[in-house]
Amino acid sequence: MDIAHIGIVSISDRASTGVYEDKGIPALQSWLQNALINQCEFETRLIPDEQPLIEETLKVLADTHRCDLILTTGGTGPAPRDVTPEATLAVADKVMPGFGEAMRAVSLKYVPTAILSRQVGVVRGNSLIINLPGQPKAIAETLDGVFSAIPYCIDLIGGAYLETRPEIIQVFRPKSSKKATN
């Protein structure tokens, strides 16, 4: 079974300076470890809302650490310091607009302010990068709604073959792309 190399970037001015405890990284690690059967190797970063730093962090996780999946949390709203989508788009080889559309649709079931989110999904090399909300509850709701498409996307870009616990999340793959099980 493939090892899942996953980058997690929590983007918050206040958490990165210790004003409050970051809850994004633990929430993402917990959700992924619960959902994935694969062994996970995490590269985590807690950084402020600074576009050049976000861009450099995403590049290092994709190009140097070769993460199959990079999830960001925070910095996707309309506030002046929210620059995660701009940084993500700046490092993209391909934009995957369906992820942003689907994440907003999922979140809209819970809060009317979901329309304020500017989350994006992109591909850089063999890495899928997805911007997620900042709150643990919203992270879980969003992943519950979109993760079923993530493993197949990672297959298509040459990443690890991710397998999930079917009672947690059902992955969709065409029959022709499923690996045989022993």
Side-chain angles (χ1 to χ4, degrees):
M1 181 174 301
D2 291 352
I3 294 173
H5 298 278
I6 300 172
I8 298 176
V9 184
S10 185
I11 300 161
S12 168
D13 289 332
R14 292 179 290 170
S16 68
T17 58
V19 172
Y20 62 76
E21 179 186 358
D22 172 66
K23 294 185 178 174
I25 291 171
L28 280 165
Q29 285 179 312
S30 175
W31 192 95
L32 291 162
Q33 288 171 327
N34 191 39
L36 290 171
I37 296 170
N38 304 68
Q39 176 187 335
C40 297
E41 290 185 0
F42 294 109
E43 286 289 334
T44 62
R45 305 289 186 276
L46 174 57
I47 60 175
D49 284 292
E50 298 289 344
Q51 186 169 341
L53 180 57
I54 298 167
E55 288 178 25
E56 185 57 29
T57 300
L58 295 175
K59 288 178 188 175
V60 167
L61 291 173
D63 304 346
T64 304
H65 292 286
R66 304 257 184 240
C67 292
D68 304 298
L69 176 62
I70 301 168
L71 300 173
T72 71
T73 177
T76 60
R81 299 260 323 142
D82 290 339
V83 294
T84 302
E86 288 79 8
T88 303
L89 292 168
V91 303
D93 294 329
K94 294 180 181 176
V95 178
M96 304 296 293
F99 280 107
E101 295 163 6
M103 289 186 287
R104 281 183 287 281
V106 166
S107 295
L108 198 54
K109 294 175 186 174
Y110 301 99
V111 293
T113 53
I115 62 174
L116 303 178
S117 174
R118 300 177 312 111
Q119 297 159 281
V120 299
V122 306
V123 171
R124 178 180 176 89
N126 300 102
S127 299
L128 175 61
I129 305 171
I130 297 177
N131 302 150
L132 293 168
Q135 296 301 316
K137 183 176 185 277
I139 289 169
E141 292 166 350
T142 303
L143 285 174
D144 288 346
V146 303
F147 200 85
S148 60
I150 288 175
Y152 184 53
C153 182
I154 293 172
D155 294 349
L156 293 171
I157 62 174
Y161 190 85
L162 301 184
E163 298 181 63
T164 62
R165 291 179 176 82
E167 67 276 13
I168 305 294
I169 199 90
Q170 293 277 335
V171 171
F172 177 81
R173 286 185 170 99
K175 289 181 183 172
S176 62
S177 71
K178 292 180 182 177
K179 283 188 177 180
T181 56
N182 294 336

